[in-house]
Amino acid sequence: QVQLVESGGGLVQAGGSLRLSCAASGRTFSAMGWFRQAPGKEREIVAGISRSGDNTYYPDSVKGRFTISRDNANAKNTVYLQMNSLKPEDTAVYYCAARIDYSDYVPYRVYEYYYWGQGTQVTVSS
């Protein structure tokens, strides 16, 4: 059974940092990503990482502030999102996502990811 479990969300002041973790189990995943969804807005990617970890994707809105990494050692599928210099507009529910294929491609569209976590709330106060 596939499970993606996020942790690490919370309340932080603007300019602060948070680190999200996602423990994925049940399959060996290729690309993994972090998405967010604010109230009334569409879900959007904030970071993606390829199976090898060699390729990453960030939208301009978070580039230079967010860093995605993954741990594939010992059959783990754990992905992290280090978020620095947080802004109030980063407030959202953050979701971990994963897909299974045989490439080192990093998708950035919601529909390209097959498995999703339940989400963790990140709130940035001004």
Side-chain angles (χ1 to χ4, degrees):
Q1 182 179 358
V2 172
Q3 276 193 315
L4 279 70
V5 180
E6 302 100 335
S7 61
L11 173 64
V12 64
Q13 287 190 330
S17 298
L18 279 176
R19 189 190 194 214
L20 305 183
S21 300
C22 173
S25 61
R27 296 288 299 271
T28 299
F29 300 99
S30 54
M32 297 184 74
W34 286 97
F35 288 74
R36 68 186 178 190
Q37 188 165 18
K41 294 191 176 182
E42 292 187 353
R43 193 170 295 191
E44 61 176 357
I45 192 167
V46 294
I49 189 165
S50 64
R51 181 183 187 134
S52 67
D54 290 342
N55 302 311
T56 56
Y57 172 86
Y58 304 95
D60 289 343
S61 58
V62 307
K63 202 171 289 183
R65 300 189 299 122
F66 290 10
T67 303
I68 190 171
S69 60
R70 69 186 293 170
D71 180 1
N72 292 337
N74 300 320
K76 285 183 184 179
N77 286 269
T78 305
V79 64
Y80 305 96
L81 183 68
Q82 179 65 43
M83 304 185 293
N84 298 329
S85 302
L86 283 162
K87 305 174 181 180
E89 51 263 44
D90 294 319
T91 295
V93 177
Y94 282 70
Y95 298 91
C96 177
R99 60 181 273 139
I100 299 172
D101 63 22
Y102 298 98
S103 75
D104 217 35
Y105 168 58
V106 186
Y108 60 91
R109 300 177 184 89
V110 171
Y111 69 82
E112 294 182 287
Y113 287 84
Y114 312 143
Y115 303 100
W116 293 84
Q118 80 289 350
T120 185
Q121 177 70 45
V122 171
T123 302
V124 184
S125 63
S126 56

